[in-house]
Amino acid sequence: MGSVTSEGAKERAALAAVALVEEGTTIAVGSGSTVDKAIRALGRRFEGSLRKPAVVAASRRSEMLVTEAGLPLLMLDKVTSFPLMLDGADEVAPDLTLIKGGGGALTREKLLATMSQSLVIMVDYTKLVQRIGEHALLPVEVVPFAAPYVGRKLRELNLEPTVRISPGGAIVPYLTDNHCEILDCRLPSRVFDPQELEANILKIRGVLDCGLFVRMANRVFVGTRDGRVEEMHPPTSPPRLHLPEELREALLRKMARGPVTPPVPVRRRPKSRKATRPSPHRRPKGKRSR
Ligand code: 5RP
């Protein structure tokens, strides 16, 4: 087969992912051109069905497309979790660490992904990288008032932030659906611990979220250059536990403390046959204190 364009490869990946959606379920979708294709494919697949899947979408644009595709659109007041979320990505590393947020919907996408039992990512072959930050900038969504402060703090983390500009033509900051700004950050040449980097970014006041998705993706469908769809899995898939928040927190705290050291066994002294001196604290037999 000849060389498939990036758009064609996205379409194929989206079709493979849409095949996982079951009638009558409620799923989550992210945002971006690959998600657009998946939403349209979903609409076609369930056309005329009496049990169309309902959808919660991560952006206004995706919401609009869901409605256009004739699928029921839900908001988070009606849903507590999803069996499946379909989303795109800007970069996929071999261990399935992702950079997302090229379309600016990263905060809502990460929230929906957290609520999903399975996060399925659909990408074309241009998104695969050997190390995270190879091509894409890492988006950080910030409260506009805090942007200069957050920018300084991000530089202290060895990141190079620039304010994302609105595509409209005027030089004004791009605003997300949450009315926040995006600082796009160049990453250092090697990020040894993406999870730690994410945690350090999220500690900065004024940050809503960042586009690093670590150990979140369960499957990645990659549309290849030669027209196939390959599937990637995490190196070892830790079970995604759906526990009440407080139970999960307690479990994570316990795991962070590390393994419990077994108590050192106490060796008892062998009983001596010789009469031992009575302990001054012992009461003589038979005498009861009142
Ligand atoms: C939006 C995203 C998108 O999934 C990401 O930017 C990929 O977009 P596309 O499918 O257009 O290549 O994270 O916030």
Side-chain angles (χ1 to χ4, degrees), residues 10 31-35 87-90 100-106 109 127:
K10 284 180 183 180
S31 195
S33 61
T34 319
V35 169
D87 205 351
D90 300 302
K100 289 185 43 55
L106 57 120
E109 286 170 343
K127 305 294 182 63

Side-chain angles (χ1 to χ4, degrees), residues 23-286:
E23 267 193 332
T25 51
T26 298
I27 65 154
V29 297
S31 195
S33 61
T34 319
V35 169
D36 292 358
K37 295 179 201 312
I39 295 171
R40 291 195 187 103
L42 259 185
R44 289 195 299 274
R45 188 173 155 212
F46 290 99
E47 200 173 0
S49 163
L50 294 176
R51 298 183 66 234
K52 294 182 187 211
V55 182
V56 175
S59 70
R60 296 254 161 84
R61 178 183 165 77
S62 295
E63 284 176 1
M64 198 186 72
L65 286 175
V66 167
T67 312
E68 274 178 25
L71 299 166
L73 177 71
L74 293 186
M75 295 292 149
L76 283 185
D77 57 336
K78 299 276 185 292
V79 196
T80 50
S81 66
F82 306 95
L84 176 67
M85 176 172 183
L86 304 182
D87 205 351
D90 300 302
E91 272 190 359
V92 179
D95 65 353
L96 302 201
T97 297
L98 314 173
I99 286 188
K100 289 185 43 55
L106 57 120
T107 300
R108 294 186 187 196
E109 286 170 343
K110 203 184 275 184
L111 171 67
L112 296 183
T114 308
M115 295 172 68
S116 302
Q117 280 152 26
S118 178
L119 172 63
V120 174
I121 297 294
M122 313 159 292
V123 290
D124 67 286
Y125 51 87
T126 65
K127 305 294 182 63
L128 301 185
V129 292
Q130 278 313 305
R131 58 167 188 84
I132 213 72
E134 205 170 291
H135 304 305
L137 301 176
L138 174 68
V140 178
E141 186 168 4
V142 299
V143 172
F145 177 75
Y149 167 81
V150 175
R152 285 193 292 275
K153 290 288 176 190
L154 290 172
R155 267 181 222 106
E156 285 173 19
L157 291 177
N158 211 10
L159 306 175
E160 290 173 41
T162 46
V163 179
R164 189 180 294 184
I165 298 299
S166 174
I171 312 283
V172 289
Y174 167 86
L175 286 185
T176 65
D177 285 349
N178 306 318
H179 307 286
C180 286
E181 293 180 14
I182 299 262
L183 299 180
D184 283 313
C185 301
R186 181 156 305 287
L187 297 184
S189 57
R190 194 156 214 119
V191 176
F192 288 101
D193 188 344
Q195 203 156 28
E196 189 183 29
L197 177 63
E198 182 196 14
N200 285 335
I201 294 172
L202 299 186
K203 270 187 217 155
I204 305 171
R205 290 220 189 279
V207 168
L208 256 72
D209 216 323
C210 77
L212 264 176
F213 283 53
V214 188
R215 293 198 212 146
M216 293 192 86
N218 299 83
R219 292 163 92 169
V220 177
F221 286 116
V222 187
T224 65
R225 209 183 277 276
D226 59 7
R228 288 173 301 112
V229 176
E230 276 177 3
E231 201 177 323
M232 292 169 73
H233 294 272
T236 47
S237 355
R240 285 165 77 89
L241 293 176
H242 282 266
L243 301 171
E245 194 64 27
E246 63 277 15
L247 206 61
R248 200 162 64 171
E249 293 283 309
L251 200 63
L252 287 173
R253 273 201 302 276
K254 201 165 174 189
M255 283 160 73
R257 281 202 296 269
V260 179
T261 331
V264 181
V266 182
R267 205 179 260 171
R268 291 184 180 279
R269 283 195 20 228
K271 271 188 186 169
S272 152
R273 282 166 190 266
K274 279 185 198 164
T276 44
R277 261 201 300 163
S279 153
H281 305 297
R282 268 223 183 130
R283 262 185 273 115
K285 253 188 182 174

